[in-house]
Amino acid sequence: MGQTGCLLLHGFTGGAYEVNPLARYLREHTDWIISVPVLPGHGRNLRLHDTNAVEWITYAEEELKRLYMYCDEVYVIGFSMGGLIAAYLTIHYPVKKLVLLSAAALYINPKQIFSDMKTVMSDTIRRKLNENEWFGHYKYKLFHTPIRSTREFRRLASYVVPLLPKIRVPVFIAQGQMDGIVPPKAARFVYDRVGTYQKRLYLSKSSKHLICYGSDCDRLFHEIAFFLKQEKVPDNG
């Protein structure tokens, strides 16, 4: 059997760091070629003003084609907006299996956002705002994400979500139930719409949006690796 490749795609306003823990796990436990590209305008220092959804998809396509130069089969893993792009690639290319992490088919969980903001306010009063993980992660993005880029993200979502029934390969769907960006119900929303009977749903009670950094991430990574390696995937809906 020839070489296997795995493409991991990060989310909107994010970078490789969002999926790097999973990429490291797969490198340690497989002999696959692992690719973790950074989409145009993304990364630690955002440069989103001159990029758009078409460029993000095109760049991911180029990375996928590069893997096919060396691999007989390729798996695609997408986090948040990267999940939408991963779904698009799976529909248009011979992707073997698909993994969706906190896929942004729906977005903004008001209940969890309110809870997180209460914590921010409390930490502000206690003068411990700099220690607040949520505020530290998102304050840079809030000031460096153009409205135009947000529209591009929504444009991508509105295009890809109706295509989910065209996905025919095995799919693993994971979602954190404490996610304040993508509502937990998004996982079931995607699960019910993908057009395959070989699908798995994994819900983490403790994880927020950055599911690859959740307290149960080791178990999640093990489940993903098992899913990708197994011959036939049972439906656990």
Side-chain angles (χ1 to χ4, degrees):
M1 185 175 177
Q3 185 66 57
T4 297
C6 188
L7 176 66
L8 292 90
L9 300 171
H10 64 76
F12 178 59
T13 71
Y17 63 90
E18 293 178 320
V19 292
N20 270 339
L22 175 56
R24 284 194 295 270
Y25 182 93
L26 294 176
R27 288 189 180 106
E28 292 171 1
H29 293 84
T30 72
D31 60 355
W32 303 341
I33 297 176
I34 307 296
S35 174
V36 191
V38 177
L39 301 175
H42 289 74
R44 292 289 185 182
N45 297 308
L46 297 176
R47 300 284 190 275
L48 292 168
H49 292 85
D50 299 320
T51 64
N52 57 54
V54 172
E55 291 179 28
W56 304 335
I57 291 176
T58 300
Y59 193 83
E61 284 181 307
E62 291 171 354
E63 292 300 314
L64 180 63
K65 291 174 183 177
R66 189 172 290 113
L67 276 178
Y68 277 122
M69 293 173 61
Y70 307 99
C71 304
D72 292 336
E73 62 181 36
V74 177
Y75 308 130
V76 178
I77 299 172
F79 166 75
S80 196
M81 183 188 77
L84 299 177
I85 298 175
Y88 173 90
L89 296 178
T90 300
I91 292 165
H92 291 88
Y93 293 88
V95 172
K96 187 74 173 177
K97 291 183 181 180
L98 172 65
V99 176
L100 300 174
L101 306 174
S102 312
L106 304 173
Y107 28 83
I108 304 300
N109 178 5
K111 183 177 179 181
Q112 187 60 42
I113 285 284
F114 179 72
S115 175
D116 289 336
M117 286 305 298
K118 282 178 61 179
T119 303
V120 168
M121 292 172 65
S122 174
D123 286 343
T124 301
I125 294 170
R126 296 163 56 211
R127 298 184 179 181
K128 292 187 175 183
L129 188 57
N130 289 334
E131 299 176 20
N132 185 283
E133 182 181 0
W134 186 90
F135 182 77
H137 179 71
Y138 289 107
K139 74 174 178 180
Y140 174 82
K141 295 186 178 187
L142 289 173
F143 293 106
H144 292 81
T145 304
I147 294 175
R148 176 181 173 276
S149 298
T150 302
R151 289 198 197 103
E152 287 294 308
F153 159 62
R154 298 207 172 204
R155 175 185 165 204
L156 191 158
S158 64
Y159 175 71
V160 173
V161 170
L163 301 179
L164 293 176
K166 293 187 177 183
I167 295 175
R168 303 295 182 185
V169 303
V171 182
F172 184 102
I173 301 162
Q175 178 73 40
Q177 294 185 307
M178 301 293 288
D179 193 333
I181 305 300
V182 174
K185 65 181 180 181
R188 174 59 67 173
F189 177 89
V190 173
Y191 184 91
D192 289 341
R193 282 161 178 75
V194 292
T196 177
Y197 291 105
Q198 295 190 67
K199 50 191 175 180
R200 283 210 55 202
L201 183 61
Y202 178 98
L203 299 176
S204 168
K205 293 182 179 180
S206 59
S207 293
K208 295 190 176 184
H209 190 53
L210 293 172
I211 196 168
C212 288
Y213 290 86
S215 59
D216 63 344
C217 64
D218 286 342
R219 182 188 166 204
L220 171 64
F221 298 164
H222 173 79
E223 293 289 337
I224 290 172
F226 178 78
F227 164 82
L228 293 175
K229 292 175 182 179
Q230 69 183 136
E231 289 298 319
K232 189 172 181 180
V233 180
D235 180 351
N236 73 329

